[in-house]
Amino acid sequence: MADRTAWMGRMVDRRRLSLRAALLASPALAWMAVLVVLPTLGFGVLALMTRGPQGQVEATPTLEHLRRAIGLTDAGFASDTLRIVARTIAVATFTSAACIALAFPTAIWIASRPAARRPMLLALAAIPLGTNIVIRSYAWMLLLGPDSPAARLGAAIGLIEPGASLHPSWLAVSLGMVAASLPLAVIALYASVERLDWRLFDAARDLHASRMRAAVHGIVIPAWPGLAAAFTLTFVPALGSFVIPDLLGGAKHWMIGHLVQQQFGTSRNWPYGAALGLLLVAGTIPAAVMLSRRRVGAAEAGGGTPRASTGAGCCAAASLLLLYLPIVAVAIASFASTRTGLSLGAPTLEWYRGVFRDARLLELATNTLTLAIVSTAIATTLGTMLALSLERFPWRPGLRSTIDGVLTLPVVMPDVLLAAGVVVALGALRQVGDLFEPGMAAMVAGHVSFQIAFVTMVVRARLASVGTGCEEAAADLHASGLTRLVRVTLPLLAPGIAGGAMLAFTLSLDDFVISFMTASPSSTTLPVHIYASVRRGLRPELHALSTILFLVTLVIVPLTHRLARRPTIGP
């Protein structure tokens, strides 16, 4: 007798069920295995190979690159690399600490607002994530430039020379890094703060505990999973950051992300880049394992009434100022009558009209939108199939945990490490065909590799919230599997699928590193063009186009959040 199990209110063959689950999951898992998992694991092998005279990788084994990565050379000990590693860890630690210090009271303040306002406030914290990191970094260059109020204040108190700017400096790097990571910390902490039982805090106060002790035992310790997630989501990406330190810090403030990008880019020294990448992998894998244990599911509401102090409100105001000041700066520059700086003068729409007259800008915008639309369509299809497989079919616990870990990798992995893995994978695939040469196809493959994870998480959350009651009722009425999928499951999942697609689209618009490392001259996207132009100052038409893209994000992010939280039916 065949091994049978209960599924959707019926007894079915277990092997056939496992085959259906594998068929649904295999396209997404294969895509991520080739472009994310295998290259990441392969860094250990690549680091042992030799760089040829023309930059090619040769299979001759050597420990040279690993020794160089830890500062050992034929001439003796060299501290340059270790100094950069220590600097990177220090900056990442400061970034995480500052983000948590601002995000925790901000999350408490949001949770203390009326329930109807909380989604809007949380969306306000998330919207800057959809603004490209290159644009935000350039905005900080405007805000800290020689003509800015901040620079004048710095000159007045003797911090800098009159007429000088506040960048490149560690102050500029710190501001840029904290502003970039702060939304992730707020979102992670709010998920824990929302579930807190505030009656624990009240009970501790009733037992004469000090306010500080009651806060530690009634708020901080119960919110520890959110604090750990916030630290992971800010520390690990900061380890691999290179755009912000490059634009706001310059050559004197290099971090390890610079070295990795350089080796897989202009230097064409993949083995040494892989050796440096192993240092980032050492921080990424534990983070992926920890986050993968946070199961997707419906959250249980806490008890009591959240209360926020005046200090929490001040932290929330400071967080919003830090997040939106760069965006406002670019918007002001887009209306300025001058071609540079933040001097507004008489407002003008000339630069917005110039966007639609400039053939090159339209080509860049077309490339950016084409990349986002195509990659979103593929990632949404594959991610939805994978989510259905994981939530509607039985998996062995160990295998499910492994898949959860794989899905967490693109979320916590530094962008430069993910991009380096894509470059390595496409380099290997080029031995098969020319389709994987740098260009639009390569960029789509790279974007889909991280979009799948985000789509899967959103759709899985929707599947967990709607339950299986409606699908089981359809099965009891003898509906076929295809009929249940088309007429029951997909309509119930529509808000989650739409939310996942919008999130994937926004992330594609925001991406720079993968596009930068896989683009060809004919497929350059807007963020890559802005990065190449930023050192000599952006044309005001780019200010206008950046503002337009932000307005698109301003619509997409709240809509994504609303769709993801749309009321469900079924038990």
Side-chain angles (χ1 to χ4, degrees):
M1 181 177 178
D3 187 16
R4 301 178 72 81
T5 185
W7 182 76
M8 290 293 171
R10 298 181 300 165
M11 297 301 296
V12 296
D13 183 82
R14 186 184 297 272
R15 286 176 296 182
R16 182 175 296 179
L17 200 61
S18 298
L19 179 60
R20 292 171 63 182
L23 289 175
L24 274 175
S26 57
L29 293 179
W31 196 297
M32 295 189 68
V34 171
L35 292 173
V36 179
V37 179
L38 292 180
T40 302
L41 297 177
F43 283 151
V45 176
L46 184 58
L48 297 174
M49 296 185 179
T50 303
R51 178 185 185 272
Q54 303 300 321
Q56 72 274 20
V57 177
E58 298 179 351
T60 306
T62 178
L63 295 176
E64 173 192 356
H65 305 294
L66 290 173
R67 295 175 69 249
R68 183 182 171 190
I70 60 174
L72 300 177
T73 65
D74 293 337
F77 181 76
S79 62
D80 292 346
T81 302
L82 293 183
R83 190 181 301 117
I84 291 175
V85 171
R87 181 189 302 149
T88 301
I89 294 174
V91 172
T93 302
F94 172 80
T95 298
S96 296
C99 285
I100 290 173
L102 284 172
F104 199 17
T106 299
I108 293 174
W109 182 82
I110 293 175
S112 69
R113 300 302 93 188
R117 296 182 184 177
R118 293 175 198 168
M120 180 191 69
L121 293 172
L122 192 61
L124 277 177
I127 283 171
L129 285 175
T131 305
N132 190 269
I133 190 63
V134 178
I135 297 172
R136 282 184 281 167
S137 300
Y138 174 72
W140 282 111
M141 294 174 68
L142 289 177
L143 291 168
L144 301 175
D147 297 327
S148 67
R152 293 194 186 101
L153 178 62
I157 63 177
L159 186 63
I160 56 175
E161 295 293 329
S165 65
L166 286 169
H167 71 85
S169 66
W170 279 120
L171 171 64
V173 173
S174 299
L175 283 172
M177 296 280 280
V178 172
S181 300
L182 185 56
L184 295 173
V186 172
I187 294 170
L189 283 165
Y190 177 78
S192 287
V193 168
E194 188 183 30
R195 304 173 194 161
L196 289 181
D197 189 343
W198 293 87
R199 292 170 297 189
L200 295 176
F201 176 81
D202 295 333
R205 293 291 287 158
D206 290 341
L207 293 172
H208 307 291
S210 66
R211 189 174 183 85
M212 177 63 71
R213 188 170 185 179
V216 169
H217 290 276
I219 299 175
V220 176
I221 293 178
W224 184 252
L227 289 167
F231 178 82
T232 302
L233 291 173
T234 53
F235 181 80
V236 177
L239 285 178
S241 177
F242 87 90
V243 176
I244 296 173
D246 184 39
L247 295 181
L248 298 178
K252 294 183 179 179
H253 303 86
W254 269 38
M255 293 171 59
I256 193 170
H258 288 85
L259 293 180
V260 174
Q261 186 276 326
Q262 185 186 59
Q263 304 313 313
F264 285 96
T266 55
S267 296
R268 292 179 56 81
N269 191 346
W270 289 12
Y272 181 46
L276 294 170
L278 289 176
L279 300 177
L280 295 178
V281 171
T284 299
I285 299 298
V289 172
M290 182 176 67
L291 281 185
S292 68
R293 294 177 179 175
R294 291 169 60 89
R295 294 299 307 276
V296 177
E300 296 182 0
T305 303
R307 292 182 300 278
S309 64
T310 303
C314 292
C315 286
S319 297
L320 291 175
L321 181 66
L322 196 62
L323 293 176
Y324 283 91
L325 195 59
I327 297 171
V328 172
V330 172
I332 291 175
S334 71
F335 291 102
S337 55
T338 58
R339 298 188 65 87
T340 58
L342 290 174
S343 301
L344 185 58
T348 178
L349 295 175
E350 175 60 27
W351 315 128
Y352 286 89
R353 289 190 288 266
V355 168
F356 298 98
R357 293 196 298 259
D358 192 314
R360 177 57 177 163
L361 284 184
L362 292 177
E363 179 187 357
L364 293 170
T366 300
N367 288 343
T368 304
L369 292 174
T370 301
L371 172 60
I373 292 171
V374 174
S375 62
T376 296
I378 297 173
T380 302
T381 303
L382 299 185
T384 301
M385 292 169 60
L386 179 55
L388 282 168
S389 177
L390 292 173
E391 290 297 319
R392 288 296 185 261
F393 292 87
W395 287 80
R396 293 181 180 177
L399 187 55
R400 184 187 295 273
S401 298
T402 301
I403 295 174
D404 287 341
V406 170
L407 289 173
T408 309
L409 275 177
V411 179
V412 300
M413 185 180 292
D415 289 347
V416 69
L417 186 60
L418 183 62
V422 170
V423 169
V424 171
L426 294 177
L429 292 173
R430 277 198 290 273
Q431 309 302 317
V432 179
D434 296 336
L435 178 64
F436 304 101
E437 292 290 336
M440 184 60 70
M443 289 193 293
V444 167
H447 280 218
V448 172
S449 66
F450 70 84
Q451 289 173 311
I452 287 174
F454 290 93
V455 173
T456 302
M457 285 190 292
V458 174
V459 178
R460 284 183 73 182
R462 179 70 181 180
L463 280 166
S465 66
V466 300
T468 60
C470 293
E471 294 165 270
E472 290 178 356
D476 290 342
L477 294 172
H478 307 290
S480 66
L482 180 60
T483 300
R484 291 199 308 271
L485 176 66
V486 173
R487 304 193 64 175
V488 179
T489 306
L490 290 181
L492 287 173
L493 285 185
I497 295 173
M502 290 181 182
L503 179 60
F505 184 81
T506 303
L507 291 172
S508 179
L509 291 180
D510 183 55
D511 177 76
F512 163 74
V513 181
I514 291 179
S515 299
F516 178 68
M517 296 179 68
T518 56
S520 66
S522 62
S523 62
T524 301
T525 60
L526 184 62
V528 175
H529 177 76
I530 291 175
Y531 181 79
S533 307
V534 75
R535 299 210 179 274
R536 56 181 181 272
L538 293 187
R539 296 159 49 198
E541 290 85 358
L542 287 172
H543 295 155
L545 187 54
S546 299
T547 304
I548 292 173
L549 290 177
F550 168 71
L551 293 176
V552 172
T553 303
L554 192 63
V555 174
I556 291 177
V557 173
L559 187 57
T560 301
H561 182 78
R562 184 170 182 176
L563 288 171
R565 296 176 67 93
R566 183 176 174 179
T568 61
I569 62 175

